[in-house]
Amino acid sequence: MTTLAQVASKAGVTAATVSNVLRGRGKVGAETRERVLAAVRELKYRPNLTARALAEGRPATIALIVSSIANPFYPEFALAVERAVRKLGYFLLVCNTNDDPAQEKAYLDAVGGSLAHGVLVMNADFVQIDELVQLRERGVPVVLCMWEKPDQPPPLPSVAVDFYRAGIMAAEHLIALGHRRIGAVVGSERSGNHIWRYRGFVDALAKAGIAHGEGDVIFGHDTIDEGRSAAHTLLAGVPDLTALFVSNDLPALGVLQAAAEMGLAVPADLSVIGITDIQLAHQVRPALTTVAVPTEESAVVAVEMIMRMIDGDEELTPLRETAPPKLVVRASTGLVGRGR
Amino acid sequence: MTTLAQVASKAGVTAATVSNVLRGRGKVGAETRERVLAAVRELKYRPNLTARALAEGRPATIALIVSSIANPFYPEFALAVERAVRKLGYFLLVCNTNDDPAQEKAYLDAVGGSLAHGVLVMNADFVQIDELVQLRERGVPVVLCMWEKPDQPPPLPSVAVDFYRAGIMAAEHLIALGHRRIGAVVGSERSGNHIWRYRGFVDALAKAGIAHGEGDVIFGHDTIDEGRSAAHTLLAGVPDLTALFVSNDLPALGVLQAAAEMGLAVPADLSVIGITDIQLAHQVRPALTTVAVPTEESAVVAVEMIMRMIDGDEELTPLRETAPPKLVVRASTGLVGRGR
DNA sequence: CTGAAAGCGCTAACAT
DNA sequence: ATGTTAGCGCTTTCAG
């Protein structure tokens, strides 16, 4: 492994000078610079980022904590974060806790122990907030991504996405298509992360004077399989439903499959709408109508915030909003009653 | 940020001693150890991994280079790698090159510049092998994951998966079901990464005396959308096909969708088989029959190899084989002719 | 059993 | 314009 010192001696200068030419700092004679550059090339020198990090007091990485990389949304978000982070010269350390608190603690200790300069946390619901707050107190910049609880002020700097509004928009779309008997599949516990999406849906229904009772909703988990089974039991119990609101795209995909299995044509017999707009949503058939959420923007804003924190910006806005969600109409929703 | 020295002075000892008790090295008096541990707790000390890495001459991370995190297989593999790596006390740095050579070079320089202790490379097809070889020559351990070209000895230590065999198995399954007119959708260029999967398929057909010509195959890319469009053109051109072999699960999912769009029942009218067994394969309806490949094992073996290289094991086997693929019969394949 | 000291490779004042 | 000198926080001989 080639070191700065080796390059320096080869170029007949000192390490400081090499460092200067490499980083464009300070004044270096044109001729010296050439000699140094030549030595660098010849020795195939690559700066040791660990040493640099130690000397500068800041690692070259930002960590992204996700609860499960298996959910396709996370890779998509991670990708966006990575782009933003790379643009600023950092590397992304993707930390998959797998919903395991021990794993999560290991990661937080490690990144807090300065493997990473800052920590982005996805899906704060599954994460032990206390640990994060402690991390923050130890001076590590932390930001929560995709905060979706408008009623609770986040315990840490966060970027918010208006999922409540997304719920409303989904409902309004269904209502506009003439649906009056609309069921809901929620991809989280009753008190879980998706609750505000459901509230938005419910409020929009109420506003339109449409009935929606306890029997019209099922709470579960954020997976395709759960979406499918939820749809099965829901539709078996309440067969007159003409549309289903699903709080996330992944379970919505499951709902689509359930419909197919039950012989229901989508959207003729049943309309289905999701939230998020993951890639699979348009890759599936029928393509899923959904309310797209500003993934890219969230990532960019989150990275921006963490950089601000790193730079010690004191008047940091603790909660940044992103652009409102957008309805994306595809093939899984249609006018009510066409199939009957 | 608490440092070793601070803990030391608080415990009335020296940094060396603290280091010793924390790492279980050397001999430390029971009573001293207690005092140190108390100080550690009280000060909430976390070792600085950057400093440690520098002192030890080895970073705490292993890098995994993937060409595209968007393809759902990569996260799955990354997860397996991560588990294996964490078990050994390392952290995983997922590097998504996005098929961009510049991005890839940036990553390789960074990890080679000792951001990571070793580099695992997925899908070596999309990667500039020369760069990797150079990295290796500079002393960085590199291993290629999922090598699938039995005819070419890998330029670097690799773990091989027998995709040729997978192709054979897929074909044999279809043949056993009575199919004689079998088309193929290959998720890579004609000379690309999937070629041996296709060769296995072709060889098995030949062995069974089944005709398969140029018109029965389409080469493309490894995506759902490409799978779908390939199936459309293939089935339009050769309508008597009763089964489709697809070289990867992702395009196979697209084929399933194309079938639905064309009004073909699967498997009654058309049988479809993929390769890999990604999670989506069983989450989709009809569930995809596929030839499962040893993902987990590949990850474990790859990590094992890189550790060997890190330890400077000279008699490293340069090419390790994994267990043979396994046929997983689900709902997308069936006896020929049931639908006609 | 514990302490002192050197050094990992780099950066950042401060000198010259 | 270049060199000198300290560290960054930790590990690791080597003494005591």
Side-chain angles (χ1 to χ4, degrees):
Chain A
M1 187 201 205
T2 325
T3 72
L4 246 204
Q6 294 172 355
V7 176
S9 80
K10 170 137 209 152
V13 295
T14 187
T17 304
V18 179
S19 176
N20 277 338
V21 359
L22 255 28
R23 330 199 59 218
R25 308 258 179 131
K27 267 100 233 342
V28 201
E31 188 257 355
T32 323
R33 140 176 282 106
E34 273 321 309
R35 237 169 339 120
V36 168
L37 258 20
V40 164
R41 260 192 307 275
E42 199 164 336
L43 267 36
K44 291 190 205 304
Y45 168 76
R46 299 283 180 287
N48 182 323
L49 297 187
T50 301
R52 178 176 289 175
L54 185 58
E56 290 185 326
R58 83 184 115 100
T61 61
I62 298 289
L64 173 66
I65 314 269
V66 299
S67 59
S68 153
I69 209 176
N71 185 324
F73 173 68
Y74 295 116
E76 284 179 35
F77 185 73
L79 197 60
V81 172
E82 189 195 39
R83 268 195 294 264
V85 147
R86 288 290 301 129
K87 205 170 291 179
L88 298 167
Y90 284 84
F91 293 89
L92 217 220
L93 193 62
V94 180
C95 307
N96 179 220
T97 68
N98 227 2
D99 274 333
D100 171 4
Q103 180 77 336
E104 183 188 315
K105 181 132 180 28
Y107 269 123
L108 293 183
D109 279 352
V111 301
S114 54
L115 229 194
H117 198 187
V119 181
L120 263 20
V121 182
M122 198 48 216
N123 210 343
D125 216 46
F126 291 157
V127 105
Q128 305 146 0
I129 293 280
D130 301 351
E131 296 277 353
L132 293 177
V133 173
Q134 281 183 34
L135 200 61
R136 177 85 198 91
E137 281 163 358
R138 278 198 279 121
V140 181
V142 177
V143 357
L144 269 26
C145 303
M146 300 237 158
W147 183 255
E148 53 174 306
K149 296 180 180 162
D151 57 333
Q152 297 173 31
L156 291 163
S158 308
V159 10
V161 171
D162 195 349
F163 278 102
Y164 174 71
R165 177 106 205 82
I168 293 179
M169 292 170 74
E172 286 177 343
H173 173 62
L174 262 16
I175 294 168
L177 290 170
H179 295 278
R180 293 297 176 266
R181 290 295 295 128
I182 309 177
V185 172
V186 182
S188 78
E189 302 297 310
R190 178 172 241 99
S191 59
N193 213 37
H194 292 184
I195 191 60
W196 280 93
R197 310 180 185 196
Y198 179 57
R199 287 197 187 152
F201 164 78
V202 167
D203 288 355
L205 251 49
K207 193 172 162 200
I210 297 176
H212 176 80
E214 267 305 301
D216 301 333
V217 56
I218 290 197
F219 293 87
H221 293 297
D222 189 18
T223 63
I224 292 184
D225 290 333
E226 290 254 341
R228 176 169 43 233
S229 68
H232 271 293
T233 80
L234 196 55
L235 292 170
V238 196
D240 66 333
L241 261 20
T242 64
L244 248 34
F245 160 81
V246 192
S247 69
N248 220 9
D249 284 353
L250 212 52
L253 263 26
V255 170
L256 249 28
Q257 294 170 8
E261 289 165 358
M262 300 175 83
L264 294 172
V266 172
D269 299 327
L270 182 77
S271 283
V272 179
I273 189 168
I275 290 183
T276 305
D277 197 18
I278 60 177
Q279 289 203 22
L280 272 173
H282 81 260
Q283 292 172 151
V284 122
R285 286 301 173 272
L288 184 70
T289 292
T290 187
V291 180
V293 130
T295 306
E296 185 83 26
E297 187 196 354
S298 298
V300 170
V301 171
V303 169
E304 210 173 90
M305 284 180 81
I306 206 116
M307 290 304 160
R308 276 238 168 63
M309 294 177 79
I310 286 173
D311 294 342
D313 182 346
E314 281 311 321
E315 45 247 56
L316 179 82
T317 317
L319 183 62
R320 293 266 308 266
E321 304 281 342
T322 52
K326 278 199 190 71
L327 177 69
V328 180
V329 180
R330 285 198 273 250
S332 70
T333 50
L335 289 173
V336 69
R338 283 199 309 158
R340 307 292 161 109
Chain B
M1 185 201 207
T2 327
T3 72
L4 245 204
Q6 293 171 357
V7 175
S9 82
K10 170 136 209 153
V13 294
T14 187
T17 303
V18 179
S19 176
N20 278 337
V21 359
L22 256 26
R23 329 201 61 223
R25 307 256 179 138
K27 264 99 237 337
V28 198
E31 188 257 356
T32 322
R33 140 175 284 106
E34 274 321 310
R35 237 172 336 126
V36 168
L37 258 20
V40 164
R41 260 191 308 274
E42 198 163 337
L43 267 37
K44 291 189 206 300
Y45 168 76
R46 299 283 181 284
N48 182 324
L49 297 186
T50 302
R52 179 176 288 176
L54 185 59
E56 288 185 328
R58 82 186 115 100
T61 60
I62 298 290
L64 174 66
I65 314 270
V66 299
S67 58
S68 154
I69 209 175
N71 183 325
F73 174 67
Y74 295 116
E76 285 179 33
F77 185 73
L79 197 60
V81 171
E82 191 195 39
R83 267 195 294 264
V85 148
R86 289 288 301 126
K87 204 170 293 180
L88 298 167
Y90 284 83
F91 292 90
L92 217 220
L93 193 63
V94 181
C95 308
N96 179 219
T97 67
N98 228 1
D99 274 333
D100 172 4
Q103 179 78 336
E104 183 187 317
K105 182 133 179 30
Y107 269 122
L108 292 183
D109 279 353
V111 300
S114 54
L115 229 194
H117 198 348
V119 181
L120 262 20
V121 182
M122 199 47 216
N123 211 343
D125 216 47
F126 290 156
V127 101
Q128 304 146 358
I129 293 280
D130 301 352
E131 296 278 354
L132 293 178
V133 172
Q134 281 183 34
L135 201 61
R136 177 84 199 93
E137 280 163 358
R138 278 198 281 121
V140 180
V142 177
V143 355
L144 270 27
C145 303
M146 300 235 157
W147 184 255
E148 55 175 303
K149 296 180 180 161
D151 58 332
Q152 297 175 30
L156 291 163
S158 309
V159 9
V161 170
D162 195 350
F163 279 102
Y164 175 71
R165 178 104 204 82
I168 293 179
M169 291 169 73
E172 285 177 345
H173 173 62
L174 262 16
I175 294 168
L177 290 170
H179 295 278
R180 292 299 175 265
R181 290 297 294 130
I182 311 177
V185 172
V186 182
S188 79
E189 303 295 311
R190 180 174 239 97
S191 59
N193 212 37
H194 292 184
I195 190 59
W196 279 93
R197 311 180 184 196
Y198 178 58
R199 285 196 189 153
F201 164 78
V202 168
D203 288 355
L205 253 49
K207 194 171 160 200
I210 297 176
H212 176 80
E214 268 305 300
D216 301 332
V217 57
I218 290 196
F219 293 86
H221 293 297
D222 189 18
T223 64
I224 292 185
D225 290 332
E226 290 255 340
R228 177 170 41 235
S229 68
H232 271 293
T233 78
L234 196 54
L235 291 169
V238 196
D240 66 333
L241 261 19
T242 63
L244 248 35
F245 160 83
V246 192
S247 68
N248 220 9
D249 284 353
L250 212 53
L253 262 26
V255 170
L256 248 28
Q257 294 170 7
E261 290 165 358
M262 300 176 83
L264 293 173
V266 172
D269 299 328
L270 182 77
S271 284
V272 179
I273 188 167
I275 290 183
T276 305
D277 197 18
I278 60 177
Q279 290 204 21
L280 272 174
H282 81 260
Q283 292 172 151
V284 121
R285 287 298 174 272
L288 184 70
T289 293
T290 188
V291 180
V293 131
T295 307
E296 186 81 25
E297 187 196 354
S298 297
V300 171
V301 171
V303 170
E304 209 172 274
M305 284 180 80
I306 207 117
M307 291 305 159
R308 275 237 169 62
M309 295 176 79
I310 286 173
D311 294 342
D313 182 346
E314 281 310 323
E315 45 248 55
L316 180 81
T317 317
L319 184 61
R320 292 268 306 266
E321 304 281 343
T322 52
K326 276 199 191 69
L327 178 69
V328 180
V329 180
R330 285 197 274 249
S332 70
T333 51
L335 289 173
V336 70
R338 284 197 309 156
R340 307 289 162 110

